[in-house]
């Protein structure tokens, strides 16, 4: 057992409350319940060293490089497909496997409303996952490609879901 002198300081440093726009989609289920993960980062993270070391020993660095190259290629492909959709603005060319974008209405307050509705409808559909973030005070949709089983077909499916949802919302 550990006794903390300033428990609130620990909670503030480790909880998902507060100003963390990259975690704005995380929702606490019961705000009255205390979670041990709110007081220590060790309780929120799994021991990743073994999960990284063992595959590196078994498969070698070359396999990991190839997987990363494939994810970077898929991200560039996804970027190209997004830029072909009318009304979709991609914030910048991806350098890693994260893409942020939004549907542009011409007015920033309207952009936020439409994009929040878009993410809500895509989450209701449930066939693809889309998260959001806030960048310099602007609401953005975000996709991060990391899973080794992600394929070009998955990207095409996502683009189709996004297009259909935009059409249903009468955005284009």
């Amino acid at each position: 057992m550990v006794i903390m002198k300033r428990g609130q300081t620990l909670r503030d440093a480790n909880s998902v409350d507060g100003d963390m726009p990259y975690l704005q989609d995380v929702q606490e289920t019961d705000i009255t319940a205390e979670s041990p993960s709110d007081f220590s980062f060790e309780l929120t993270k799994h021991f990743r060293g073994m999960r990284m070391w063992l595959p590196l020993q078994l498969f070698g660095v070359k396999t990991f490089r190839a997987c990363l190259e494939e994810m970077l290629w898929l991200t560039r492909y996804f970027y190209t497909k997004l830029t072909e959709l009318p009304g979709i603005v991609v914030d910048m060319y991806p350098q890693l496997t994260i893409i942020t974008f939004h549907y542009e209405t011409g007015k920033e307050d309207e952009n936020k409303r439409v994009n929040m509705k878009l993410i809500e409808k895509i989450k209701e559909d449930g066939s693809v996952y889309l998260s959001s973030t806030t960048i310099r005070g602007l609401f953005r949709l975000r996709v991060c490609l990391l899973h080794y089983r992600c394929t070009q077909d998955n990207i095409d499916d996502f683009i189709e879901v996004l297009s259909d949802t935009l059409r249903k919302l009468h955005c284009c």
Side-chain angles (χ1 to χ4, degrees):
M1 173 181 265
V2 177
I3 299 174
M4 301 305 305
K5 186 174 184 179
R6 292 183 298 269
Q8 188 58 42
T9 304
L10 230 95
R11 188 180 198 299
D12 292 345
N14 293 290
S15 70
V16 295
D17 299 333
D19 186 29
M20 293 186 284
Y22 56 94
L23 290 176
Q24 70 187 21
D25 294 325
V26 176
Q27 297 174 5
E28 293 195 31
T29 54
D30 183 2
I31 56 174
T32 60
E34 291 292 340
S35 170
S37 67
D38 289 338
F39 293 95
S40 172
F41 69 91
E42 293 95 348
L43 297 173
T44 64
K45 304 281 187 222
H46 295 287
F47 175 58
R48 295 181 179 171
M50 182 61 80
R51 286 190 277 173
M52 190 67 201
W53 178 83
L54 187 59
L56 275 171
Q57 295 303 309
L58 292 173
F59 305 114
V61 174
K62 188 176 179 180
T63 303
F64 283 84
R65 284 189 181 130
C67 187
L68 179 58
E69 282 300 319
E70 182 182 12
M71 290 303 111
L72 291 169
W73 182 88
L74 283 172
T75 304
R76 292 188 292 270
Y77 175 77
F78 187 53
Y79 170 85
T80 303
K81 290 297 191 178
L82 278 174
T83 58
E84 294 171 359
L85 293 175
I88 293 291
V89 176
V90 183
D91 294 327
M92 65 184 295
Y93 188 80
Q95 295 176 6
L96 296 172
T97 61
I98 299 172
I99 296 181
T100 58
F101 61 98
H102 67 282
Y103 180 79
E104 180 62 50
T105 64
K107 298 177 184 173
E108 193 50 48
D109 58 334
E110 184 69 11
N111 283 352
K112 183 175 181 178
R113 187 189 66 74
V114 169
N115 285 289
M116 287 179 88
K117 190 71 171 170
L118 182 60
I119 197 169
E120 177 187 319
K121 291 297 181 189
I122 287 177
K123 284 182 178 181
E124 283 175 11
D125 175 81
S127 60
V128 296
Y129 181 75
L130 179 62
S131 65
S132 66
T133 190
T134 303
I135 302 173
R136 294 183 191 96
L138 303 173
F139 184 84
R140 294 296 184 250
L141 305 173
R142 174 181 59 187
V143 171
C144 182
L145 303 174
L146 290 174
H147 201 278
Y148 67 95
R149 289 186 180 162
C150 185
T151 65
Q152 185 175 343
D153 289 339
N154 298 129
I155 303 299
D156 292 336
D157 291 343
F158 185 96
I159 294 295
E160 186 177 328
V161 168
L162 182 60
S163 297
D164 290 346
T165 307
L166 285 168
R167 246 187 320 279
K168 289 175 186 171
L169 292 175
H170 307 293
C171 292
C172 51

